[in-house]
Amino acid sequence: MLVFKFGGASVKDSKGVKNLLNILNEFSDNLIVVVSAFGKTTNKLEEILNLSIENTEKCKEKFEILKAYHFDIVKDLFSDESDPIYTELKNEFLKLKNEIFEKKHDSFDLKYDQIVSFGEIFSTMIVSAFLNSQKLVNKWIDIRKVMITDDTFREAKIDMSLTKTKAEEAFNFKNDKVYLTQGFIGGSKSGYSTTLGREGSDYTAAVLANLLEAEKVMVWKDVDGILNADPQYFDATEKLDRISYQEAVELAYFGAKVIHPKALKPLHNKNIPLFVRSFINPEGAGTEIGCFKQYDQDLPIFILKKDQILISLFPKDLSFAIEDELNKVFGYLSEQRIKVNLIQNSAISISLCIDNINRKWKHLIERLKVDYKVLYNDELELLTIRHYSDQAIKKVTKDRKIFIEQRSRHTAHFVIK
Ligand code: ASP
Ligand code: MG
């Protein structure tokens, strides 16, 4: 059995949905197909939610635009306007409208999940109906009844043992060969919709593969596979043919948009290989992430993380007992849920490189100032080079101001401006 995942970019219009059909037609295996919301729908739903608080008129307008976008796709796919998908979709949009304008929820995060989860419901209803109309027989599964989570809304944690039981029931392959379901969303035990964190569909695919012991996972993207650098920032990029899970974790951790970082562990635990392939060029072999011992390509990998803050702390009395102080500093960081990308310490200082998210770091600095003298630089970049050579380093750091440089056997990091 294989698990496929199609992200929003692969199904942003009716052409994308037809392309998905062509890809699936090439496979005769048992399949679970996980699909994201169409295009940028999740962002649009976030926008609608925010507007529902500030500006009802604008919110209604955006709601209608999102509805029209989905119905335009349906019209391209189903010429017969009496097809049941028209009524089904209309009903789902009514439910969404009700969630936005009528229901009151105590917490923003709870409301967020009730609204944002509709993106995947819409897309999968449409794709499933279209595939069935084209004789690719499939069963639509409401993953909110399978992927059982706690109620940490917007970042729900999956109850693996309960989900395993439900998943074995739902995806039993007794009468069906192909299942179509949603990524990113789940359902709490109390009956609410939940979400697993933005870009979470990879994680859904990985968890299902793990629980159901799939042979492989295939993630279909708009690139030929995993590249050795982001073509947005680097030129002459090349595809990596195969990398190990460990390598993929390193890349994801330091900011490569390879695959959702949470997706790797469930696959690694069961040794399930993951293929990143192109939905534009489906014949291509893509990149395989699997149990490979060593990185065997002669290509350095470049990862750039933008918008970094470098914070340096000095004790006010010059006496730094590093061990104790590190505990304290990491205590503050975990309190504010800030992830440290790089750390460097000397006898009398600690430097931390962190993401600039939501101005959280400003609070952190205020907090740290109570105990330390604090200096910081913002608008920096963290450049990571895996499997570096002197030449590779020179190429990307020349003419840049280097704030911190760290090298280990396989990895070099630079905090630069
Ligand atoms: N649709 C969700 C998002 O855009 C999940 C995903 O695409 O993986 O975050
Ligand atoms: Mg997406």
Side-chain angles (χ1 to χ4, degrees):
M1 183 265 287
L2 311 180
V3 178
F4 283 9
K5 181 253 168 170
F6 289 88
S10 68
V11 286
K12 64 178 193 307
D13 50 25
S14 57
K15 213 175 113 213
V17 179
K18 288 176 188 164
N19 184 47
L20 184 151
L21 166 71
N22 291 336
I23 292 176
L24 297 190
N25 270 332
E26 294 300 311
F27 291 85
S28 53
D29 310 69
N30 282 348
L31 288 181
I32 296 178
V33 185
V34 173
V35 179
S36 299
F38 285 162
K40 298 265 177 252
T41 297
T42 308
N43 292 353
K44 304 277 184 243
L45 286 164
E46 285 185 346
E47 210 182 316
I48 288 171
L49 167 64
N50 292 331
L51 284 169
S52 74
I53 301 160
E54 303 150 12
N55 184 338
T56 321
E57 276 319 300
K58 197 112 203 118
C59 174
K60 284 189 178 142
E61 204 180 289
K62 295 273 176 186
F63 173 86
E64 292 304 330
I65 294 173
L66 187 70
K67 189 172 161 189
Y69 165 63
H70 283 81
F71 273 95
D72 282 346
I73 295 179
V74 169
K75 277 179 209 147
D76 281 348
L77 298 174
F78 302 86
S79 49
D80 176 5
E81 291 205 15
S82 66
D83 193 288
I85 186 67
Y86 284 87
T87 336
E88 283 162 22
L89 191 62
K90 211 169 93 199
N91 288 339
E92 287 302 317
F93 268 96
L94 275 175
K95 285 191 209 161
L96 171 60
K97 197 172 197 172
N98 188 41
E99 279 294 342
I100 300 168
F101 298 105
E102 307 298 334
K103 290 233 179 105
K104 298 269 172 291
H105 292 296
D106 298 339
S107 114
F108 177 85
D109 289 353
L110 190 158
K111 186 162 173 114
Y112 176 102
D113 280 2
Q114 306 325 298
I115 290 174
V116 166
S117 53
F118 273 95
E120 270 69 11
I121 299 296
F122 300 150
S123 66
T124 55
M125 279 174 57
I126 297 169
V127 174
S128 171
F130 175 68
L131 297 179
N132 277 324
S133 77
Q134 301 299 307
K135 309 279 175 290
L136 201 145
V137 179
N138 71 95
K139 183 169 181 188
W140 184 83
I141 299 284
D142 185 343
I143 204 77
R144 294 171 298 185
K145 300 199 170 77
V146 176
M147 196 62 80
I148 307 302
T149 71
D150 67 3
D151 52 10
T152 317
F153 295 103
R154 299 184 72 173
E155 222 164 303
K157 305 279 165 310
I158 299 169
D159 179 329
M160 292 293 177
S161 68
L162 207 53
T163 299
K164 185 174 164 65
T165 313
K166 301 259 182 198
E168 282 167 351
E169 259 167 54
F171 303 100
N172 60 35
F173 291 99
K174 276 192 193 133
N175 300 313
D176 307 279
K177 256 183 78 64
V178 180
Y179 293 93
L180 202 112
T181 196
Q182 308 79 38
F184 173 58
I185 68 176
S188 73
K189 284 168 209 144
S190 47
Y192 284 106
S193 300
T194 55
T195 64
L196 308 174
R198 282 303 307 267
E199 306 297 332
S201 297
D202 292 344
Y203 183 48
T204 304
V207 169
L208 289 177
N210 172 301
L211 297 178
L212 300 167
E213 319 255 337
E215 258 165 74
K216 296 174 188 175
V217 173
M218 284 186 200
V219 171
W220 297 87
K221 297 179 79 105
D222 56 1
V223 283
D224 283 334
I226 299 175
L227 306 179
N228 75 323
D230 184 340
Q232 222 185 319
Y233 308 119
F234 299 92
D235 37 55
T237 57
E238 285 181 62
K239 180 175 78 76
L240 305 170
D241 295 333
R242 67 195 81 76
I243 57 173
S244 65
Y245 298 107
Q246 287 79 0
E247 186 74 46
V249 171
E250 294 275 359
L251 302 185
Y253 184 88
F254 288 108
K257 289 179 201 75
V258 175
I259 203 81
H260 197 286
K262 281 207 293 200
L264 293 159
K265 186 172 169 239
L267 298 176
H268 178 235
N269 286 354
K270 293 264 172 86
N271 276 337
I272 302 167
L274 179 136
F275 294 79
V276 177
R277 295 179 61 174
S278 163
F279 62 78
I280 300 163
N281 170 28
E283 286 77 39
T287 301
E288 178 176 357
I289 302 176
C291 271
F292 301 110
K293 285 224 172 56
Q294 245 156 21
Y295 182 68
D296 62 357
Q297 265 174 288
D298 196 17
L299 271 181
I301 307 176
F302 301 94
I303 314 150
L304 190 66
K305 226 172 188 290
K306 294 203 155 205
D307 215 0
Q308 299 292 296
I309 319 283
L310 183 66
I311 303 176
S312 297
L313 313 176
F314 306 86
K316 286 181 171 163
D317 60 0
L318 262 188
S319 61
F320 234 172
I322 277 292
E323 301 79 23
D324 301 345
E325 296 303 324
L326 277 180
N327 272 340
K328 217 155 98 188
V329 171
F330 277 97
Y332 297 154
L333 290 163
S334 84
E335 232 171 67
Q336 315 242 3
R337 295 183 42 202
I338 295 176
K339 180 182 138 225
V340 181
N341 297 324
L342 181 134
I343 168 164
Q344 177 139 314
N345 63 269
S346 76
I348 52 147
S349 72
I350 307 176
S351 297
L352 307 162
C353 181
I354 60 172
D355 294 331
N356 176 8
I357 14 166
N358 304 334
R359 318 243 118 224
K360 264 188 189 172
W361 60 281
K362 293 234 154 139
H363 300 289
L364 177 70
I365 286 182
E366 286 318 309
R367 183 77 199 261
L368 292 169
K369 272 186 179 163
V370 178
D371 299 310
Y372 311 102
K373 182 175 161 230
V374 182
L375 299 177
Y376 71 89
N377 291 84
D378 58 356
E379 292 179 20
L380 301 178
E381 293 176 356
L382 173 63
L383 175 66
T384 300
I385 312 173
R386 297 271 301 159
H387 316 286
Y388 61 87
S389 62
D390 287 340
Q391 194 193 355
I393 290 176
K394 230 183 256 153
K395 188 173 133 198
V396 288
T397 59
K398 73 167 190 300
D399 308 328
R400 307 294 297 265
K401 183 172 173 204
I402 298 175
F403 286 71
I404 289 187
E405 172 171 349
Q406 275 180 6
R407 292 188 204 197
S408 56
R409 206 140 68 92
H410 298 298
T411 315
H413 296 290
F414 299 87
V415 178
I416 54 177
K417 189 147 196 149

